[in-house]
Amino acid sequence: MTLIDGREVAATIRAQVAADAARLRAAGITPTLAIVVPTDDEATAWYVRSLVRTGEKIGVAVRVVDEHEMVGPCLAELSADPTVHGVMCQTPLPPGITRDEVAMHIDPVKDVDGANPASLGRLAAGLPAFAPATAQAVVELLHAHGTTLAGADVVVVGRSTVVGKPAALLLLAENATVTVCHSRTKDLAVQTSRADVVVACAGSAHVLGAAHIRPGAVVIDVGTNPTADGGLIGDVDTEAVEPIAEAITPVPGGVGPVTTALLLRNVVTAASH
């Protein structure tokens, strides 16, 4: 059984992003990401600080904007700023505001985390668009492992617009045969145990165990569920699945680092356009 090391994959992506960013900076363009932060949540603050540090290392400027009230107008203003190439909004959002409502203010050209519903629509139509970075990370990790996706049976467990739906669309674009399962799926194990690839993004700790995985399957665990002792566990019971699966991503150290690297790559791509 192989652990698919997300940190190693992310390091490779960051090296390429740094080279691309350096070429842009030499041409007088500083790739810039603006993050609107409408919350005092400490986990959000930690993630934003991590993005700022990583951006500094690879030549992407990260501008943090604290805005708790006029979130939508702030996103629209940043979208109109020619010095900003990528715009994103952190969660949780203030009460009474939905993610879709604020994300519609982000220009799809600068929507580097695929939050605007228009970006998902373009993705579904096969038009150029940024997918959510976490969904992109799923496919990137499968490529890094050498998984053949064309013709593969893939089951995605979860249907959020942040991961499940866009991941399914990206996998369809790779010519995989994709089944999406969710909380109303009648017999989850019947679906997942026939799959060549299982993508777990249900947001529920250890919802998948040994009975859900067929021998030789590749498992991408997107879940990040906090434990009582301050740790993180995934949606997959890794210990139970390890003897069965061909490969699995660890939690932490799997999808997360790749998501961050791809988000910054999207900023550089937007800047180059």
Side-chain angles (χ1 to χ4, degrees), residues 182-193:
H182 45 78
S183 59
R184 300 296 180 89
T185 298
K186 290 183 178 179
D187 194 334
L188 182 60
V190 168
Q191 301 295 332
T192 58
S193 62

Side-chain angles (χ1 to χ4, degrees), residues 110-154:
K110 299 185 179 184
D111 185 22
V112 291
D113 202 24
N116 190 326
S119 297
L120 185 62
R122 292 182 65 84
L123 197 65
L127 298 172
F130 290 112
T134 305
Q136 286 183 273
V138 169
V139 178
E140 196 78 28
L141 285 160
L142 290 167
H143 284 165
H145 178 62
T147 305
T148 300
L149 290 173
D153 284 321
V154 180

Side-chain angles (χ1 to χ4, degrees), residues 157-179:
V157 183
R159 55 178 170 177
S160 74
T161 56
V162 178
V163 188
K165 288 178 182 177
L169 291 170
L170 291 172
L171 290 161
L172 281 170
E174 297 281 339
N175 296 312
T177 300
V178 183
T179 300

Side-chain angles (χ1 to χ4, degrees), residues 21-49:
R23 284 192 285 270
L24 285 171
R25 293 172 81 99
I29 301 169
T30 300
T32 300
L33 169 65
I35 307 175
V36 175
V37 181
T39 175
D40 296 321
D41 180 72
E42 181 51 39
T44 297
W46 180 90
Y47 178 63
V48 170
R49 289 194 297 268

